[in-house]
Amino acid sequence: MEIFKIEGIILNTVDFGDANRVVTIYSKEFGKIEVNAYGCRRARSPLSGVIQMFNQICAEIKKSSQVDSIRDADILKFYPNLTADIERLSYAAIFFEIVNKMTLPKIVDIGIYNLLVNALPVINKKNPQIAALIAIAQFMEFTGFQLNFKKCVRCGKIIEGDASLSLTEGGTICKNCSHGAVKGYSYPENLRTTFETLLNFNWKSENQINFSLRQVYAAQKILFQYVQNILGQELKSIKFLRQIQG
Ligand SMILES: [Zn+2]
């Protein structure tokens, strides 16, 4: 029997059979993996309570010619506020659904792993909308689909002052190039500053997360739309957030 150990964060779970779950884990060692957790929904199972979305776990995985399975697991960290507060939960779920949908299996990326590890406690404790937005903006930088927030995508000049932003062209368009007509968003200077602050945010610092609500909503609208354009679908978690916010 071949066993290997991982440390990871549970991105998603899907129930199957009487008491089992398919578990998607973003692991430090192997990137995103999918494993089965047999019996984990039985109250008496040693995996009961461990195999939940958002938990950071260490686990022993049994290799199989079909789907590998979790033999044993322990919780390293869990985030009780996420399950106690539905709005907090939905912002965390949006971040996780984006990471899950936009990563390929078994590609190791310690940057993504660290982002998950660093962002979760902040989403759990501080303003979840802003924390999730920072996490999503920073995650997109790992995907190869990052928007260019600083330079004009047409002429390459560093943007100064107000500009436009085109999702189809991949970022900012300066005033000179736009000739007043760009299919996209207006991109005023204060929104650009907001994006720069999101991207440079250091999770380890005790900095207050301070943004104007207006800029946060503008940035969120752009990022959510952009991700959904790339994926070609509406995300379940974004739809859910809309429902609970009415
Ligand atoms: Zn330009």
PDB file of all heavy atoms in Angstrom, residues 151-159 172-178, ligand 1:
ATOM      1  N   LYS A 151      -0.327  49.986 -17.232  1.00  0.00           N
ATOM      2  CA  LYS A 151       0.139  50.467 -18.536  1.00  0.00           C
ATOM      3  C   LYS A 151      -0.960  50.328 -19.569  1.00  0.00           C
ATOM      4  O   LYS A 151      -1.749  49.381 -19.527  1.00  0.00           O
ATOM      5  CB  LYS A 151       1.332  49.629 -19.015  1.00  0.00           C
ATOM      6  CG  LYS A 151       2.606  49.950 -18.329  1.00  0.00           C
ATOM      7  CD  LYS A 151       3.725  49.121 -18.947  1.00  0.00           C
ATOM      8  CE  LYS A 151       5.023  49.304 -18.205  1.00  0.00           C
ATOM      9  NZ  LYS A 151       6.004  48.304 -18.621  1.00  0.00           N
ATOM     10  N   CYS A 152      -0.978  51.237 -20.519  1.00  0.00           N
ATOM     11  CA  CYS A 152      -1.949  51.167 -21.604  1.00  0.00           C
ATOM     12  C   CYS A 152      -1.681  49.909 -22.437  1.00  0.00           C
ATOM     13  O   CYS A 152      -0.548  49.663 -22.860  1.00  0.00           O
ATOM     14  CB  CYS A 152      -1.829  52.415 -22.468  1.00  0.00           C
ATOM     15  SG  CYS A 152      -2.881  52.346 -23.936  1.00  0.00           S
ATOM     16  N   VAL A 153      -2.717  49.099 -22.666  1.00  0.00           N
ATOM     17  CA  VAL A 153      -2.510  47.856 -23.417  1.00  0.00           C
ATOM     18  C   VAL A 153      -2.335  48.125 -24.914  1.00  0.00           C
ATOM     19  O   VAL A 153      -1.923  47.242 -25.660  1.00  0.00           O
ATOM     20  CB  VAL A 153      -3.664  46.844 -23.203  1.00  0.00           C
ATOM     21  CG1 VAL A 153      -3.652  46.312 -21.778  1.00  0.00           C
ATOM     22  CG2 VAL A 153      -5.027  47.441 -23.524  1.00  0.00           C
ATOM     23  N   ARG A 154      -2.633  49.351 -25.340  1.00  0.00           N
ATOM     24  CA  ARG A 154      -2.455  49.655 -26.770  1.00  0.00           C
ATOM     25  C   ARG A 154      -1.101  50.287 -27.066  1.00  0.00           C
ATOM     26  O   ARG A 154      -0.432  49.897 -28.019  1.00  0.00           O
ATOM     27  CB  ARG A 154      -3.578  50.585 -27.252  1.00  0.00           C
ATOM     28  CG  ARG A 154      -4.929  49.871 -27.281  1.00  0.00           C
ATOM     29  CD  ARG A 154      -5.991  50.730 -27.928  1.00  0.00           C
ATOM     30  NE  ARG A 154      -7.310  50.103 -27.819  1.00  0.00           N
ATOM     31  CZ  ARG A 154      -8.450  50.747 -28.076  1.00  0.00           C
ATOM     32  NH1 ARG A 154      -8.435  52.007 -28.457  1.00  0.00           N
ATOM     33  NH2 ARG A 154      -9.598  50.113 -27.956  1.00  0.00           N
ATOM     34  N   CYS A 155      -0.678  51.270 -26.253  1.00  0.00           N
ATOM     35  CA  CYS A 155       0.578  51.965 -26.576  1.00  0.00           C
ATOM     36  C   CYS A 155       1.692  51.695 -25.565  1.00  0.00           C
ATOM     37  O   CYS A 155       2.835  52.066 -25.795  1.00  0.00           O
ATOM     38  CB  CYS A 155       0.342  53.465 -26.724  1.00  0.00           C
ATOM     39  SG  CYS A 155       0.031  54.286 -25.152  1.00  0.00           S
ATOM     40  N   GLY A 156       1.360  51.042 -24.437  1.00  0.00           N
ATOM     41  CA  GLY A 156       2.397  50.677 -23.472  1.00  0.00           C
ATOM     42  C   GLY A 156       2.791  51.779 -22.502  1.00  0.00           C
ATOM     43  O   GLY A 156       3.632  51.566 -21.629  1.00  0.00           O
ATOM     44  N   LYS A 157       2.196  52.955 -22.653  1.00  0.00           N
ATOM     45  CA  LYS A 157       2.575  54.048 -21.737  1.00  0.00           C
ATOM     46  C   LYS A 157       1.988  53.828 -20.346  1.00  0.00           C
ATOM     47  O   LYS A 157       0.888  53.289 -20.210  1.00  0.00           O
ATOM     48  CB  LYS A 157       2.050  55.379 -22.277  1.00  0.00           C
ATOM     49  CG  LYS A 157       2.985  56.025 -23.242  1.00  0.00           C
ATOM     50  CD  LYS A 157       2.594  57.493 -23.475  1.00  0.00           C
ATOM     51  CE  LYS A 157       3.406  58.048 -24.626  1.00  0.00           C
ATOM     52  NZ  LYS A 157       2.588  58.761 -25.599  1.00  0.00           N
ATOM     53  N   ILE A 158       2.737  54.282 -19.333  1.00  0.00           N
ATOM     54  CA  ILE A 158       2.228  54.256 -17.959  1.00  0.00           C
ATOM     55  C   ILE A 158       1.032  55.202 -17.883  1.00  0.00           C
ATOM     56  O   ILE A 158       1.101  56.339 -18.358  1.00  0.00           O
ATOM     57  CB  ILE A 158       3.314  54.726 -16.979  1.00  0.00           C
ATOM     58  CG1 ILE A 158       4.546  53.850 -17.132  1.00  0.00           C
ATOM     59  CG2 ILE A 158       2.761  54.785 -15.547  1.00  0.00           C
ATOM     60  CD1 ILE A 158       4.853  52.905 -16.032  1.00  0.00           C
ATOM     61  N   ILE A 159      -0.044  54.708 -17.302  1.00  0.00           N
ATOM     62  CA  ILE A 159      -1.271  55.507 -17.237  1.00  0.00           C
ATOM     63  C   ILE A 159      -1.138  56.609 -16.189  1.00  0.00           C
ATOM     64  O   ILE A 159      -0.684  56.374 -15.081  1.00  0.00           O
ATOM     65  CB  ILE A 159      -2.471  54.601 -16.865  1.00  0.00           C
ATOM     66  CG1 ILE A 159      -2.671  53.498 -17.890  1.00  0.00           C
ATOM     67  CG2 ILE A 159      -3.732  55.428 -16.660  1.00  0.00           C
ATOM     68  CD1 ILE A 159      -3.338  53.916 -19.169  1.00  0.00           C
ATOM     69  N   THR A 172      -5.916  48.398 -19.120  1.00  0.00           N
ATOM     70  CA  THR A 172      -6.136  49.838 -19.192  1.00  0.00           C
ATOM     71  C   THR A 172      -5.864  50.407 -20.591  1.00  0.00           C
ATOM     72  O   THR A 172      -4.965  49.942 -21.279  1.00  0.00           O
ATOM     73  CB  THR A 172      -5.161  50.515 -18.220  1.00  0.00           C
ATOM     74  OG1 THR A 172      -5.034  49.693 -17.083  1.00  0.00           O
ATOM     75  CG2 THR A 172      -5.655  51.852 -17.803  1.00  0.00           C
ATOM     76  N   ILE A 173      -6.639  51.399 -20.941  1.00  0.00           N
ATOM     77  CA  ILE A 173      -6.397  52.110 -22.201  1.00  0.00           C
ATOM     78  C   ILE A 173      -6.306  53.597 -21.893  1.00  0.00           C
ATOM     79  O   ILE A 173      -7.198  54.155 -21.249  1.00  0.00           O
ATOM     80  CB  ILE A 173      -7.531  51.821 -23.203  1.00  0.00           C
ATOM     81  CG1 ILE A 173      -7.506  50.329 -23.570  1.00  0.00           C
ATOM     82  CG2 ILE A 173      -7.371  52.663 -24.464  1.00  0.00           C
ATOM     83  CD1 ILE A 173      -8.736  49.850 -24.280  1.00  0.00           C
ATOM     84  N   CYS A 174      -5.216  54.210 -22.311  1.00  0.00           N
ATOM     85  CA  CYS A 174      -4.983  55.612 -21.965  1.00  0.00           C
ATOM     86  C   CYS A 174      -5.909  56.520 -22.773  1.00  0.00           C
ATOM     87  O   CYS A 174      -6.519  56.106 -23.749  1.00  0.00           O
ATOM     88  CB  CYS A 174      -3.518  55.984 -22.172  1.00  0.00           C
ATOM     89  SG  CYS A 174      -3.075  56.241 -23.897  1.00  0.00           S
ATOM     90  N   LYS A 175      -5.954  57.777 -22.341  1.00  0.00           N
ATOM     91  CA  LYS A 175      -6.846  58.747 -22.975  1.00  0.00           C
ATOM     92  C   LYS A 175      -6.522  58.929 -24.453  1.00  0.00           C
ATOM     93  O   LYS A 175      -7.401  59.004 -25.298  1.00  0.00           O
ATOM     94  CB  LYS A 175      -6.724  60.094 -22.265  1.00  0.00           C
ATOM     95  CG  LYS A 175      -7.884  60.361 -21.337  1.00  0.00           C
ATOM     96  CD  LYS A 175      -7.787  61.771 -20.804  1.00  0.00           C
ATOM     97  CE  LYS A 175      -8.913  62.023 -19.822  1.00  0.00           C
ATOM     98  NZ  LYS A 175      -8.635  63.196 -18.986  1.00  0.00           N
ATOM     99  N   ASN A 176      -5.212  58.970 -24.760  1.00  0.00           N
ATOM    100  CA  ASN A 176      -4.781  59.178 -26.150  1.00  0.00           C
ATOM    101  C   ASN A 176      -5.284  58.079 -27.073  1.00  0.00           C
ATOM    102  O   ASN A 176      -5.679  58.328 -28.202  1.00  0.00           O
ATOM    103  CB  ASN A 176      -3.251  59.182 -26.238  1.00  0.00           C
ATOM    104  CG  ASN A 176      -2.700  60.545 -25.917  1.00  0.00           C
ATOM    105  OD1 ASN A 176      -3.452  61.529 -25.916  1.00  0.00           O
ATOM    106  ND2 ASN A 176      -1.411  60.601 -25.632  1.00  0.00           N
ATOM    107  N   CYS A 177      -5.216  56.845 -26.572  1.00  0.00           N
ATOM    108  CA  CYS A 177      -5.577  55.707 -27.420  1.00  0.00           C
ATOM    109  C   CYS A 177      -7.086  55.485 -27.475  1.00  0.00           C
ATOM    110  O   CYS A 177      -7.581  54.845 -28.395  1.00  0.00           O
ATOM    111  CB  CYS A 177      -4.913  54.436 -26.912  1.00  0.00           C
ATOM    112  SG  CYS A 177      -3.132  54.442 -27.075  1.00  0.00           S
ATOM    113  N   SER A 178      -7.791  55.961 -26.466  1.00  0.00           N
ATOM    114  CA  SER A 178      -9.212  55.601 -26.409  1.00  0.00           C
ATOM    115  C   SER A 178     -10.079  56.485 -27.297  1.00  0.00           C
ATOM    116  O   SER A 178     -11.140  56.074 -27.736  1.00  0.00           O
ATOM    117  CB  SER A 178      -9.714  55.649 -24.970  1.00  0.00           C
ATOM    118  OG  SER A 178      -9.734  56.977 -24.518  1.00  0.00           O
TER     119      SER A 178
HETATM  120 ZN    ZN B   1      -2.310  54.316 -24.982  1.00  0.00          ZN
END
